Amino acid sequence: MEELRRSGERGFADHGWLRSFHSFSFADYHDPRHMGYGPLRVINEDRVRPGSGFGTHGHRDMEIISYVLEGALAHRDSMGNGSTIVPGDVQRMSAGSGVRHSEYNHDKSGVTHFLQIWIEPAVTGMAPSYEQKHFGPDE
């Protein structure tokens, strides 16, 4: 059964440097009615304050997609990737057997607004991988 969920009904966390809205249970927000949708586990709408971000942390066996709506998000990971994601870019990171990464808003004045989506993979334990692609406004 499909259910319409209004944005104001989502979970919310304000960490000072990060304001995050959670469509499904995530971190300290737990709602047994909203644990995901099939293999879709996370849709977080995040706003990272200037000069701050997520320190290096690990993931495994998860497909992680980041899409920047406003600002820029710097990415570094244990696979040797380093890039900046801007509006129109889609970043895909397959955490596989394990990866460590950080995400940071280096801008000193503007907030970075982005979506992060996590999908459980069909196969676990694969080698981690990374891809970033830009899509123009018409795409």
Side-chain angles (χ1 to χ4, degrees):
M1 171 168 70
E2 291 186 34
E3 172 187 345
L4 177 64
R5 186 166 192 210
R6 305 274 180 211
S7 64
E9 298 170 356
R10 297 178 295 171
F12 175 69
D14 187 343
H15 300 283
W17 64 274
L18 169 69
R19 292 174 45 91
S20 185
F21 290 88
H22 312 306
S23 295
F24 306 118
S25 292
F26 184 81
D28 292 336
Y29 168 65
H30 181 77
D31 182 343
R33 296 169 300 135
H34 300 285
M35 298 299 291
Y37 188 80
L40 180 60
R41 282 291 168 252
V42 170
I43 302 176
N44 288 349
E45 180 184 2
D46 293 340
R47 287 177 175 84
V48 179
R49 291 186 61 166
S52 55
F54 300 88
T56 302
H57 59 285
H59 295 284
R60 65 176 298 121
D61 293 324
M62 195 63 65
E63 301 295 316
I64 301 170
I65 300 163
S66 298
Y67 182 77
V68 172
L69 300 166
E70 181 180 3
L73 190 66
H75 166 92
R76 295 240 181 276
D77 66 41
S78 57
M79 295 178 282
N81 298 300
S83 65
T84 299
I85 310 160
V86 297
D89 286 357
V90 175
Q91 176 198 71
R92 177 201 51 85
M93 185 174 69
S94 295
S97 58
V99 67
R100 296 183 56 75
H101 77 123
S102 63
E103 299 161 304
Y104 206 80
N105 175 8
H106 288 294
D107 192 330
K108 299 300 181 206
S109 60
V111 169
T112 294
H113 180 197
F114 75 106
L115 301 175
Q116 190 159 94
I117 301 162
W118 294 8
I119 302 168
E120 290 181 335
V123 177
T124 60
M126 303 293 287
S129 63
Y130 177 89
E131 181 180 16
Q132 182 173 330
K133 183 174 180 180
H134 184 80
F135 293 89
D138 294 339
E139 296 177 282

